[in-house]
Amino acid sequence: AAAPSAGSPASPPAAARPAAEPLVKLPVEKGQGIVLLDPADAVYLQADGHYTTVHTADGAFFCGLPLSELEARLDARSFVRTHRGYIVNLRHARAVERQDGRAAFVMAAPGAPRVPVSRNRAEALKKRLAL
């Protein structure tokens, strides 16, 4: 007999799963209100104290959630923690550069921002990207 698939009634109820609820939208502040960004529009996320700055092609936005929560709730197939202060959306990564022995992602956004890759995360990222 085949194992039950993830969507079958045999899988545990949502309350039994420890995983954080996936984010369908990123809540960011704009003007006096909250805008719900599509996570696919986030080029990279940068820790800002207990909060996060979400960088998009249209600019940077304040998000009241900490980077660690965003890391747990964003799609791990696209979003990768590259450094204790950064998460990159791999769909917007254009290249990986090495400078002075340190790696950085070059992002497809105005000004081609560079996002650092910490030494302790470099090996896992190399494997993941088949570098």
Side-chain angles (χ1 to χ4, degrees):
S5 66
S8 74
S11 63
R17 273 183 253 135
E21 184 71 26
L23 274 181
V24 177
K25 292 286 187 176
L26 277 170
V28 298
E29 290 184 12
K30 190 171 186 184
Q32 299 301 310
I34 300 285
V35 175
L36 299 174
L37 281 182
D38 187 334
D41 293 338
V43 175
Y44 67 99
L45 299 95
Q46 182 176 7
D48 183 6
H50 294 293
Y51 308 107
T52 302
T53 302
V54 177
H55 295 269
T56 71
D58 299 323
F61 299 91
F62 174 85
C63 177
L65 299 171
L67 203 62
S68 57
E69 183 174 340
L70 291 170
E71 178 184 22
R73 296 181 66 186
L74 288 166
D75 186 346
R77 291 170 299 187
S78 301
F79 291 90
V80 176
R81 187 84 171 245
T82 61
H83 185 279
R84 71 186 169 94
Y86 294 91
I87 294 175
V88 160
N89 183 346
L90 290 175
R91 296 179 194 279
H92 291 280
R94 189 179 281 158
V96 178
E97 275 186 357
R98 292 196 68 76
Q99 211 171 12
D100 302 325
R102 294 190 176 258
F105 277 100
V106 180
M107 304 307 293
R114 275 133 181 89
V115 178
V117 176
S118 64
R119 286 193 183 106
N120 62 345
R121 297 186 192 266
E123 237 6 85
L125 284 166
K126 278 184 188 171
K127 283 188 182 116
R128 176 151 185 190
L129 298 171
L131 297 175

